[in-house]
Amino acid sequence: MSLKKQSKRLFGTNGVRGVIGKDMTPDIMLNLGAALGSLRKGTVAVGRDTRTSGPALSHALKSGLLLTGCDVIDCGILPTPALQYLVKEHYDAGAMITASHNPPEYNGLKVIEPDGTEMGDDATIELENRFFSKSFTIQPWDKVGTESDGSARLEEYISAIVSHFPPDIGKNFTVVVDPGSGPASLTTPRILTRLGCRVHTINDQLDGRFPGRLPEPSAEGLRALSDAVVSTKAVFGVAHDGDADRAVFVDENGNYIEENQEFGVIAEEICSREKGLVVTPVSTSQIIEKIAEKYGSNIKYTPVGSIYVARTMLDHISAGEKVVFGGEGNGGLIFPNHQFCRDGGMTAAMMVWVLTSRNQSLSALVKKLPRNFMIKEKIHSHKSGALIAHIIQSFPHLKIDKTDGVKISAPSAWALIRPSGTEPFMRVIVESDTRENAEKFYQDIMSVASSFS
Ligand code: MG
């Protein structure tokens, strides 16, 4: 796979994002709509999250699409994975107005391909070129597109998820859902109710001011969820980011589950049942590789970004391989029997299935995972390429992987150093079985980085 994320000028790893009125305006959205409508013909499904700027940006985007001759199905407010599912089933492309986990003043766009995946680098660069050169195929009056309402189709997404599980698998469970005033208010409580769970909700009003918590489901923001789990004696609490492609959990004691551990709990269940490839970015915890190896499965590492995970999964399936699971260590998990994108609603349902199948508490399942200790830091640098070359030269005897930045594997720890897509710093992740080994290797990396000038 060619890594072209650094060549994109407007889109980041997961779409375009910006602050409303500053670097995200209706003008930009109008031109993005016209660019997309000039690149992809047919019927385009449009959706949005609950942000206050969503209606304004949606009208602008639809205007661009309609003028280039595309028909528009407006699906209204829904999770990104719900729009992806509907595009895969019915439409020629999709456009989701969302800034995912960013604060309320942000908004943006994710573009969806006909197979439900997010648009890859090559097509995105083509889309950007059309955007910047304004090469739009504006149609005459008798060829402009038509618009219709597709909001009733949200039910299809809910039913699709429920259909993957035996009836009433959650019948003995109480769960708490915190959609964070985002679009999962319309889906996850209904999915879990249909699986038989008794469902309590907090922050379930659709509100783009996000009065209960910010769209990023951080441990600090989920205190109310933790309290609700404990007071209702729930088996878990689940929270979503602003567009519900990610899900994070608190256990039955109200403790936040680190997202690599969440990935591990579900990987343990999937890998114990089926052998095949597990696909994940180079930034993911070694927990996942250890679980895959334990059950005789292989792991395939990709650059950081869910589109790379999804497309690598599809590539290996096209080559005749069995792919059982994919995902990122941020609560964005991809279930290949459902669809090739991160899906927070599906992840919530999977956790019900895991707890039923294992008949153990979530905290007990987390305790059984392989041990790990992870350090995440940043190094300020304007010369990321030269710094990476310097780091590689400094560890001549260690295994080097250049899938994204550089991953250096020592016998007792590994480190990933990679440039930020947008800012002058490098992200550093170091992981080992123990805190001591992780800290030691982190110090080794930092002393090499600080000797670079
Ligand atoms: Mg998201």
Side-chain angles (χ1 to χ4, degrees):
M1 185 194 312
S2 63
L3 183 55
K4 294 183 180 161
K5 57 171 122 171
Q6 304 294 339
S7 321
K8 292 186 282 190
R9 290 182 281 171
L10 186 66
F11 282 73
T13 311
N14 293 113
V16 187
R17 306 261 168 93
V19 173
I20 282 297
K22 197 173 151 215
D23 33 25
M24 176 52 65
T25 62
D27 263 10
I28 290 176
M29 214 43 102
L30 173 69
N31 287 331
L32 280 169
L36 177 60
S38 304
L39 193 66
R40 296 279 182 266
K41 298 295 165 203
T43 305
V44 180
V46 173
R48 61 185 173 92
D49 65 18
T50 59
R51 286 163 200 275
T52 54
S53 56
L57 294 184
S58 177
H59 285 300
L61 179 88
K62 287 189 292 184
S63 179
L65 287 166
L66 291 164
L67 285 170
T68 51
C70 286
D71 291 326
V72 168
I73 304 290
D74 191 340
C75 297
I77 292 174
L78 80 175
T80 297
L83 186 74
Q84 291 178 281
Y85 180 80
L86 294 177
V87 170
K88 170 173 79 87
E89 293 296 306
H90 302 291
Y91 304 119
D92 301 304
M96 180 73 190
I97 294 169
T98 178
S100 188
H101 61 275
N102 287 119
E105 63 270 26
Y106 283 77
N107 213 337
L109 179 67
K110 291 180 178 178
V111 180
I112 313 303
E113 293 286 27
D115 63 1
T117 59
E118 280 182 61
M119 187 175 260
D121 287 343
D122 289 335
T124 300
I125 289 167
E126 210 181 325
L127 181 71
E128 287 185 346
N129 288 341
R130 278 192 183 268
F131 172 87
F132 286 112
S133 65
K134 289 197 163 53
S135 53
F136 307 141
T137 56
I138 303 295
Q139 296 298 312
W141 69 273
D142 56 347
K143 293 206 170 58
V144 296
T146 59
E147 181 183 344
S148 48
D149 179 11
S151 55
R153 288 214 136 135
L154 188 54
E155 179 57 31
E156 289 180 33
Y157 165 74
I158 293 169
S159 297
I161 291 180
V162 172
S163 73
H164 291 298
F165 302 94
D168 288 330
I169 55 161
K171 71 178 185 311
N172 298 319
F173 291 163
T174 298
V175 298
V176 187
V177 180
D178 177 357
S181 304
S185 306
L186 302 172
T187 50
T188 300
R190 287 163 67 193
I191 291 164
L192 299 181
T193 301
R194 297 242 319 251
L195 292 177
C197 298
R198 183 173 173 199
V199 179
H200 297 282
T201 54
I202 59 170
N203 299 319
D204 70 337
Q205 73 285 29
L206 301 171
D207 190 337
R209 293 166 304 144
F210 304 103
R213 67 167 174 87
L214 288 171
E216 172 63 30
S218 64
E220 305 77 61
L222 300 185
R223 294 227 174 87
L225 176 64
S226 296
D227 293 345
V229 165
V230 172
S231 65
T232 59
K233 298 190 167 52
V235 292
F236 65 72
V238 59
H240 297 291
D241 71 319
D243 66 335
D245 52 0
R246 291 159 50 208
V248 303
F249 294 85
V250 299
D251 69 16
E252 74 283 3
N253 304 311
N255 294 319
Y256 187 87
I257 306 297
E258 196 274 324
E259 294 94 323
N260 282 290
Q261 294 184 322
E262 162 196 341
F263 193 174
V265 165
I266 297 176
E268 179 84 38
E269 184 65 24
I270 289 175
C271 292
S272 71
R273 288 169 180 256
E274 261 188 312
K275 258 190 216 177
L277 203 59
V278 178
V279 181
T280 195
V282 284
S283 52
T284 299
S285 168
Q286 62 190 18
I287 290 175
I288 308 305
E289 182 168 344
K290 286 184 177 175
I291 290 169
E293 275 175 2
K294 180 168 90 175
Y295 293 106
S297 284
N298 291 318
I299 196 146
K300 173 73 186 176
Y301 286 111
T302 72
V304 176
S306 65
I307 56 169
Y308 305 111
V309 179
R311 294 196 175 274
T312 302
M313 291 170 81
L314 286 165
D315 288 348
H316 283 270
I317 288 167
S318 304
E321 285 178 68
K322 175 99 180 150
V323 176
V324 292
F325 195 18
E328 303 176 303
N330 62 4
L333 303 180
I334 304 175
F335 303 94
N337 63 339
H338 174 51
Q339 61 174 344
F340 289 91
C341 65
R342 299 178 294 185
D343 192 325
M346 181 69 181
T347 304
M350 284 297 290
M351 193 58 89
V352 172
W353 178 68
V354 170
L355 293 191
T356 308
S357 164
R358 294 270 146 166
N359 198 24
Q360 290 177 63
S361 67
L362 181 49
S363 67
L365 294 174
V366 169
K367 271 199 200 101
K368 287 183 181 160
L369 291 171
R371 293 294 97 197
N372 79 312
F373 186 84
M374 207 176 227
I375 298 169
K376 292 184 182 180
E377 288 291 346
K378 289 175 184 174
I379 309 176
H380 285 272
S381 172
H382 289 275
K383 297 186 225 163
S384 56
L387 177 57
I388 284 178
H390 175 68
I391 291 172
I392 290 171
Q393 279 173 9
S394 305
F395 295 97
H397 305 300
L398 297 184
K399 190 182 144 208
I400 299 289
D401 176 333
K402 296 183 192 169
T403 302
D404 194 344
V406 60
K407 187 168 185 173
I408 306 169
S409 299
S412 60
W414 62 266
L416 175 72
I417 303 104
R418 65 182 191 88
S420 156
T422 49
E423 290 164 278
F425 65 77
M426 313 274 285
R427 294 180 191 280
V428 181
I429 301 177
V430 178
E431 188 185 38
S432 177
D433 299 353
T434 66
R435 173 192 287 261
E436 190 191 5
N437 285 339
E439 284 176 350
K440 185 173 178 311
F441 198 45
Y442 176 70
Q443 290 308 329
D444 292 348
I445 299 285
M446 294 315 275
S447 63
V448 165
S450 61
S451 69
F452 174 74
S453 56

